[in-house]
Amino acid sequence: MSGTTTTGTTTSTGTAPAPAAPPVPPPPLTPPTPPAGLRATARIHAVADGRGGTALPLLAGEGPLALRRTRSSSGAEAGVMLVGAMTAPLGGDHLTVEATAGPGARLALASAAATLALPGRSGEPARYDVHLTLEDGASLRWLPEPLVSVRGSDLRVRTRVRLAPTARLVLREEQVLGRTGEAPGLLRSRLTVESGGRPLLDQELACGPGAPGGWDGPAGLAGHRALGQLLVVDPAFAAQPPAAAVLGEFAAVTPLAGPAVLVTALAADALRVRELLDAACRTYGW
């Protein structure tokens, strides 16, 4: 007897159909690779308190960027100290300082100690960003301690400042290339300043191994291992701009095309650079 039965146009057999193949599971998701190094941000917001002083409704630090309120020489000014809570920046780290001074606020920012740029295990460069915003009638003094570029390090510093036309600023930057008897690391620094929405200053510095040739020659640092600059922005300079001048053998005063003056200095050590910039601050600052 046959195992096949035919009825009309329908045919069936005694053989069971093969089971369907099980679904193939999708490949496991690969977790994103976490960024190398530390990420930390310090945020500061200053506002006029309506009584002739300045309040700090926002004062928040992360990781190595600890913030402490300090007494200022002026009762109208709020003081903030940036305290290094751990070693940073190492290669691969990204640190950011954000400070805003609202209308009429007066803020003084400083750091407790020098910042050492150190090499990291990843081989990636470290980044240190500073963002400063000053609204109408505000004033800010940013006076950190020197940045030391340690041998084998790779640090990129970016400072951006936005000022209202009536705001005032004193900004100091100091760099030391290597510790005593040590070759420097690679340091790249850029400072960009806007006043009233218009460019006031945009300059870039690169020095150390891997920097463009000539950075240490006669047209560059000329063998010096400490350098610094002081930028003062004051609306009063629009009527009475400072005159160009020379402060010692390797320091110069340059009026900018706006209500500002830039003082640059080179020296064999950080102490001499500080002396020159302090003298300039007493003359052009407040």
Side-chain angles (χ1 to χ4, degrees), residues 221-239:
L221 301 185
H224 295 88
R225 285 295 175 265
L227 60 151
Q229 60 184 0
L230 180 80
L231 174 67
V232 181
V233 183
D234 193 331
F237 291 162

Side-chain angles (χ1 to χ4, degrees), residues 71-111:
R71 289 189 176 183
S72 174
S73 57
S74 169
E77 190 177 60
V80 176
M81 184 71 68
L82 184 63
V83 180
M86 57 189 292
T87 301
L90 303 174
D93 290 351
H94 187 181
L95 308 182
T96 304
V97 176
E98 299 176 351
T100 301
R106 300 184 62 182
L107 181 63
L109 302 179
S111 61

Side-chain angles (χ1 to χ4, degrees), residues 182-199:
E182 177 184 62
L186 175 58
L187 174 62
R188 286 173 262 194
S189 176
R190 185 172 180 180
L191 172 61
T192 305
V193 183
E194 295 179 1
S195 178
R198 301 177 62 181

Side-chain angles (χ1 to χ4, degrees), residues 131-154:
H131 300 156
L132 307 176
T133 303
L134 284 72
E135 299 183 25
D136 286 326
S139 66
L140 187 149
R141 293 187 293 135
W142 171 237
L143 302 172
E145 293 302 306
L147 168 65
V148 182
S149 177
V150 172
R151 180 179 181 180
S153 65
D154 185 351

Side-chain angles (χ1 to χ4, degrees), residues 156-221:
R156 300 175 185 180
V157 181
R158 181 67 188 268
T159 302
R160 297 180 181 179
V161 186
R162 293 181 174 88
L163 303 98
T166 56
R168 298 188 303 167
L169 171 74
V170 172
L171 182 149
R172 182 181 70 206
E173 290 186 336
E174 297 169 322
Q175 292 95 14
V176 180
L177 305 184
R179 294 168 290 193
T180 302
E182 177 184 62
L186 175 58
L187 174 62
R188 286 173 262 194
S189 176
R190 185 172 180 180
L191 172 61
T192 305
V193 183
E194 295 179 1
S195 178
R198 301 177 62 181
L200 178 65
L201 176 66
D202 191 346
Q203 68 174 20
E204 188 166 4
L205 166 74
C207 50
W215 67 270
D216 201 22
L221 301 185

